Amino acid sequence: MGGEAARWRLDGRTVQVTRLDRVLWPADGITKGNLLGYYRDLAPVMLPYYRERPVTLHVFPTGAGGMSYYRRDRPERAPAWLRGVPYHPKSADHVTHLPTIEDAAGLVWYANGGAIEFHLWGARLPDLAEPDLAIFDLDPGEAAPFAAVLQAALRLREMLAALDLRGYAKTSGGRGLHVYLPLAPGHTFDGVRAWVRALAARLAAAHPDLVAVARGATHRGGLVTVDYAQNSIGRNTAAPYTVRARPGAPVSAPVTWEEVAAGDFVPEDLTLRTVPERVRRLSDPFAPVLAGGQRLPALDPPADPDPA
């Protein structure tokens, strides 16, 4: 992957890649070529999650650990084959062309331009107001060990199973876990967000020494916070298999419930360097998310264990 510039032939397109020897993670010796090669090679398992789904780009012009910004619109300089989906946010007076990525060439083109991380919307075209996912974001407080996150995920799984629902887990690329419920058509963001909050409140009431419902950006010391606000139109969550611009180049990696129960992994071990071999060995444990098909049952919230 060395060299300053090259032309990669991907999906019948030619993508100019540059500065492949540039070190993006200085402490780890991980180069831009390593990053682009990861996205090129993992594209077959990644792209089904991107199909018809807007992408938010987290761009790091000077590499991991440097300044960054989120890009929610398709760059004007993008090649014509990179689509932008017209979207008119209620909070804006103009139309935004949201990026979408359909092939390995798109992943590599955006990563070559500085997008280390890819974050996905919770809805697909043609109706971006209709979510096809319910997302539980389990985020530990500063004093909470990762073992507490695993326990919270298992307790959540039990509650979902009692409702005849199945969720699927992945690491956030940090210290948390995301649990996704694939949904059938017909849900709304307001309804899904209220439902996730109600189940989070039920989980916190049943396990008050383990779980708390999110209050803004508050992290509750030794508790695991459940953030339900991810289930909002225009919000986005780290894509399955995206690299994160954190020390060691961790990946938001799907994990099996057997791994969660055994507690025999740490998120820091799931990285740009290790995940490709993991995918070859395990295939993709997150793939059932792509099937959809679940409907959220009526759920009355319990008394809020931590009223505002």
Side-chain angles (χ1 to χ4, degrees):
M1 294 182 192
E4 282 299 305
R7 290 181 178 271
W8 288 2
R9 190 70 177 167
L10 301 168
D11 308 308
R13 311 186 194 281
T14 298
V15 180
Q16 178 83 18
V17 293
T18 58
R19 303 186 65 188
L20 296 178
D21 289 337
R22 181 184 175 204
V23 178
L24 298 182
W25 282 264
D28 304 289
I30 296 173
T31 66
K32 185 178 179 183
N34 297 140
L35 178 70
L36 301 190
Y38 172 89
Y39 283 132
R40 176 195 61 200
D41 296 344
L42 266 287
V45 73
M46 296 175 67
L47 288 170
Y49 300 101
Y50 289 68
R51 194 157 294 126
E52 301 297 316
R53 197 181 298 276
V55 181
T56 297
L57 311 166
H58 198 179
V59 181
F60 292 77
T62 61
M67 63 82 62
S68 69
Y69 62 91
Y70 288 94
R71 177 147 203 166
R72 296 173 173 85
D73 60 311
R74 175 186 177 276
E76 291 185 3
R77 64 182 180 86
W81 49 265
L82 274 173
R83 280 203 303 160
V85 178
Y87 177 69
H88 192 173
K90 291 182 179 180
S91 59
D93 58 3
H94 63 279
V95 171
T96 297
H97 287 79
L98 306 172
T100 60
I101 296 175
E102 300 172 342
D103 50 28
L107 281 172
V108 169
W109 191 90
Y110 279 119
N112 185 67
I116 290 178
E117 302 182 1
F118 297 97
H119 299 248
L120 297 177
W121 282 41
R124 292 181 186 267
L125 296 167
D127 190 351
L128 297 180
E130 184 178 283
D132 64 345
L133 299 169
I135 300 173
F136 291 81
D137 183 359
L138 307 181
D139 201 3
E142 291 184 0
F146 185 64
V149 180
L150 298 177
Q151 285 303 308
L154 291 171
R155 303 292 81 78
L156 171 60
R157 186 193 187 205
E158 291 170 358
M159 282 197 170
L160 293 172
L163 297 168
D164 199 26
L165 294 170
R166 291 184 62 84
Y168 302 89
K170 69 179 180 69
T171 64
S172 65
R175 298 178 60 238
L177 282 179
H178 299 151
V179 177
Y180 281 34
L181 279 66
L183 301 179
H187 293 84
T188 67
F189 275 105
D190 287 346
V192 171
R193 185 171 61 255
W195 192 92
V196 170
R197 187 189 185 285
L199 196 68
R202 182 173 292 188
L203 187 66
H207 305 282
D209 296 330
L210 178 65
V211 174
V213 179
R215 300 288 183 186
T218 302
H219 297 271
R220 305 299 182 84
L223 299 180
V224 177
T225 297
V226 182
D227 183 0
Y228 55 89
Q230 294 296 101
N231 301 283
S232 303
I233 191 166
R235 290 287 292 268
N236 49 82
T237 307
Y241 299 103
T242 187
V243 179
R244 305 302 302 270
R246 296 173 177 172
V251 167
S252 183
V255 292
T256 67
W257 284 113
E258 291 75 16
E259 289 176 307
V260 173
D264 58 356
F265 75 96
V266 293
E268 293 83 1
D269 290 340
L270 302 175
T271 71
L272 174 154
R273 286 173 165 151
T274 65
V275 164
E277 172 56 31
R278 175 182 171 83
V279 170
R280 285 189 286 271
R281 179 167 46 86
L282 294 180
S283 189
D284 180 16
F286 216 54
V289 167
L290 298 167
Q294 299 185 113
R295 294 194 175 278
L296 299 180
L299 189 65
D300 294 326
D304 194 327
D306 186 16

